Amino acid sequence: MSDSDAPSALVDAPQTGFSMNNNRARTNSREQEAVYDIMRATGNDWATDIPDVCRGRWHGIECMPDNYNVYHVVSLSFGALSDDTAFPTCDSTHSFISHSVTKLPHLRTLFFYRCFSNNPQPIPPFLAQLGPTLQTLVLRENGFTGTIPNELGNLTRLRVLDLHKNNLNGSIPVSLGRITGLRSLDLSDNKLTGSIPSLTFPQLNVLDLNQNHLMGSIPSTLMSCRALIKLDLSRNRLSGPIPESIDNLKDLILMDLSYNSLTGPFPMSLKKLNFLQALVLNGNPMNSATLPDNAFGHGFKDLMILGLSNMNLKGPIPNSLGLLPKIRVLHLDVNKLNGSIPSSFGNLNSISDLRLNNNMLSGAIPFKRDMVWRMRRKMSLANNEGLCYNKEYGLGDDLETLLDSGIGHCGDSKTEPTKTVQHISTLKTRSVVRSNSNKLSSLGRLLWLALVFVAVCLL
């Protein structure tokens, strides 16, 4: 729009100062003054020396022209994400978000990263005035305190809301449900309390609420967010069972519900999530649930990571776990699993990290030498007193991975692993040699002193 006329449509794509070669182009004067205020508020006073902020050749600002060849600010970004991102940094001890952001009527993206960490302050409610245009609001790791303003629900055109790793408390505002076009909501690593509200976001792809203090059950309304590809509710205080309707989230790629207080039974509907690549349920008590024989059959064709550690699981390991074609990481440690390791585990050709330690497993391990060598320290079998190995598989006393886990040959009648005996013998041998060596060294010194004494006497 011109400096005095009503808003007009922007043309072309966002442009930085590097691509603006039109000498007649100029930045809207009111927006330029607003940018000066915003830059001063973040400790970047140098920007006031730039005669035209849209043509100033600095990263962190994007502009677009209107039909009158007047440029408008559509994106502002602050904070050094890496050496490759040269957004203006902030003076973390004095910075704040200037109210002048509300004077940028075309602003689509507002990004602050580690800008206010040493000057704790609440998220300013006036950001809600950007509702008609703002599509991305990222306020990551800024040390914001207080509650999430209810007014943020007025940002109805938002696609991305990211408040990761602040010090926000209170509950998740129900008003966020008004942002029906939201595609990514990240409120992780805060101090949020209360229950997860019954919100439905038909286009939501990412929901990350991990590392908060959220309580209650997983709301069934989440199962209507059918576009989800990532669901992370880990490290909260959620309770109750995993909803059987979880199979409504057919596009899920990653689901992490670990370290809550979720209980059994193990939901059979999980195997209907055909695109799931990572399923992490570690640290949920599950009330001594068992893993059904067919829990992993005819599904999970893309699953690469499965975490079922420390869940109080009991009973045998399902044979179907050894039929996962792409599994790379499988953690079943710190449970009450018994019986033998399924023979199908010997065919897990893609696996690189296997934890079966701290269970009650017994019998011969079904792994061949190349598989043990490939995983080495990434194979954990310790504290399963009944496990042993067959030498017919090419395994032997030279494989430290097995011996360090206390696993001996299946034919041995000894309860102590071979390496322990050998290690003790080796220590004794070394001790004897060291003792004899010390004795010889002492004798040598005495002989040398005697020869010196004789030589002096002869002189």
Side-chain angles (χ1 to χ4, degrees), residues 43-287:
N44 292 287
D45 295 34
W46 52 266
T48 58
D49 295 329
I50 299 174
D52 192 318
V53 293
C54 285
R55 295 167 59 85
R57 295 176 178 265
W58 53 278
H59 293 293
I61 186 170
E62 290 182 354
C63 302
M64 288 176 65
D66 63 17
N67 294 326
Y68 300 97
N69 211 23
V70 175
Y71 277 83
H72 303 276
V73 179
V74 297
S75 177
L76 282 177
S77 299
F78 297 88
L81 280 170
S82 67
D83 293 338
D84 299 325
T85 54
F87 300 149
T89 56
C90 305
D91 180 351
S92 63
T93 59
H94 299 93
S95 293
F96 62 95
I97 299 178
S98 170
H99 191 277
S100 290
V101 296
T102 62
K103 298 177 183 178
L104 302 176
H106 298 277
L107 194 65
R108 298 178 182 177
T109 298
L110 187 60
F111 182 103
F112 287 95
Y113 175 69
R114 293 184 177 178
C115 277
F116 320 108
S117 52
N118 293 322
N119 184 26
Q121 56 197 274
I123 296 174
F126 59 71
L127 293 179
Q129 297 178 36
L130 298 169
T133 60
L134 198 65
Q135 297 178 13
T136 299
L137 178 60
V138 176
L139 305 174
R140 291 177 69 89
E141 299 186 36
N142 287 291
F144 283 116
T145 58
T147 60
I148 300 173
N150 286 319
E151 291 86 347
L152 294 190
N154 295 332
L155 298 172
T156 54
R157 296 194 63 186
L158 269 189
R159 299 293 179 266
V160 176
L161 177 58
D162 187 340
L163 307 180
H164 167 76
K165 202 172 185 180
N166 287 286
N167 289 308
L168 299 170
N169 55 36
S171 58
I172 299 172
V174 177
S175 62
L176 296 183
R178 298 201 297 266
I179 313 175
T180 55
L182 201 62
R183 300 194 179 162
S184 179
L185 177 60
D186 190 341
L187 307 179
S188 61
D189 209 348
N190 281 287
K191 299 174 182 177
L192 300 174
T193 56
S195 58
I196 300 174
S198 299
L199 304 176
T200 57
F201 299 102
Q203 300 180 61
L204 194 68
N205 298 133
V206 174
L207 177 61
D208 195 341
L209 305 178
N210 87 81
Q211 286 192 258
N212 279 288
H213 303 153
L214 299 170
M215 298 182 292
S217 59
I218 299 174
S220 58
T221 51
L222 277 185
M223 306 309 123
S224 62
C225 301
R226 296 174 184 265
L228 275 176
I229 59 176
K230 175 185 176 181
L231 175 62
D232 191 344
L233 307 178
S234 62
R235 299 183 183 276
N236 280 286
R237 300 171 185 175
L238 301 174
S239 57
I242 299 172
E244 281 290 341
S245 56
I246 195 79
D247 60 350
N248 288 338
L249 307 180
K250 297 188 183 301
D251 292 332
L252 265 187
I253 293 176
L254 181 151
M255 182 166 70
D256 190 346
L257 306 179
S258 61
Y259 300 102
N260 281 287
S261 297
L262 301 174
T263 54
F266 192 85
M268 295 294 292
S269 57
L270 285 173
K271 66 181 180 181
K272 297 179 182 178
L273 302 177
N274 290 324
F275 298 108
L276 202 62
Q277 296 182 17
L279 173 61
V280 187
L281 303 177
N282 301 330
N284 286 291
M286 283 291 169
N287 291 343

Side-chain angles (χ1 to χ4, degrees), residues 378-396:
K378 291 292 185 178
M379 175 185 283
S380 300
L381 304 173
N383 295 325
N384 287 285
E385 293 183 1
L387 288 180
C388 59
Y389 66 87
N390 282 321
K391 290 185 177 179
E392 290 79 6
Y393 282 4
L395 305 176

